[in-house]
Amino acid sequence: MPAIEVLKRLRMINRDYRFLVLSMYPEEQYAVRVIKAGASGYLTKESAPEELITAIRKITAGRKYITSSVAEKLAAEVEPDAERPAHHTLSDREFEVFSPYCFG
């Protein structure tokens, strides 16, 4: 089962669960999607160990953890009349099917 779908289902089971997604994919590809699906944070595997510790502490304290670049992307998502690349309009499933062809 795709990770985003698993995350959505786990959030339906219990809204109190907190998830930090640690991914091999760059933030540009998945961060906004996993935050929207219910993750409490998103980091790439290349993140510094100190940043991982900071994220875990913040999330266990009941808060969200996102980098400044993810914050900018989330802000752009709610901006009215913003021009977005065509792949940003895909559903999670469409993006999943499309990704291997573009992101390897």
Side-chain angles (χ1 to χ4, degrees), residues 11-74:
R11 293 290 295 171
M12 286 178 8
I13 293 169
N14 189 333
R15 302 288 296 165
D16 294 331
Y17 288 165
R18 296 183 188 108
F19 301 96
L20 173 62
V21 174
L22 186 61
S23 176
M24 66 182 202
Y25 297 107
E27 290 177 339
E28 306 84 54
Q29 292 176 17
Y30 283 101
V32 171
R33 288 184 184 275
V34 298
I35 297 296
K36 284 181 173 182
S40 298
Y42 185 93
L43 288 174
T44 63
K45 290 183 179 180
E46 287 79 34
S47 299
E50 298 81 22
E51 188 172 21
L52 179 59
I53 292 168
T54 301
I56 291 169
R57 287 183 177 150
K58 202 169 195 180
I59 290 168
T60 57
R63 298 169 45 208
K64 303 272 187 189
Y65 182 84
I66 55 172
T67 63
S68 59
S69 62
V70 173
E72 287 180 29
K73 288 172 186 24
L74 285 168

Side-chain angles (χ1 to χ4, degrees), residues 1-11 21 25 30 33-34 37 91-100:
M1 184 180 301
I4 291 175
E5 188 61 32
V6 170
L7 183 59
K8 287 178 182 178
R9 288 185 183 199
L10 289 171
R11 293 290 295 171
V21 174
Y25 297 107
Y30 283 101
R33 288 184 184 275
V34 298
S91 71
D92 289 336
R93 180 65 183 134
E94 291 167 333
F95 186 77
E96 217 174 278
V97 170
F98 177 73
S99 292

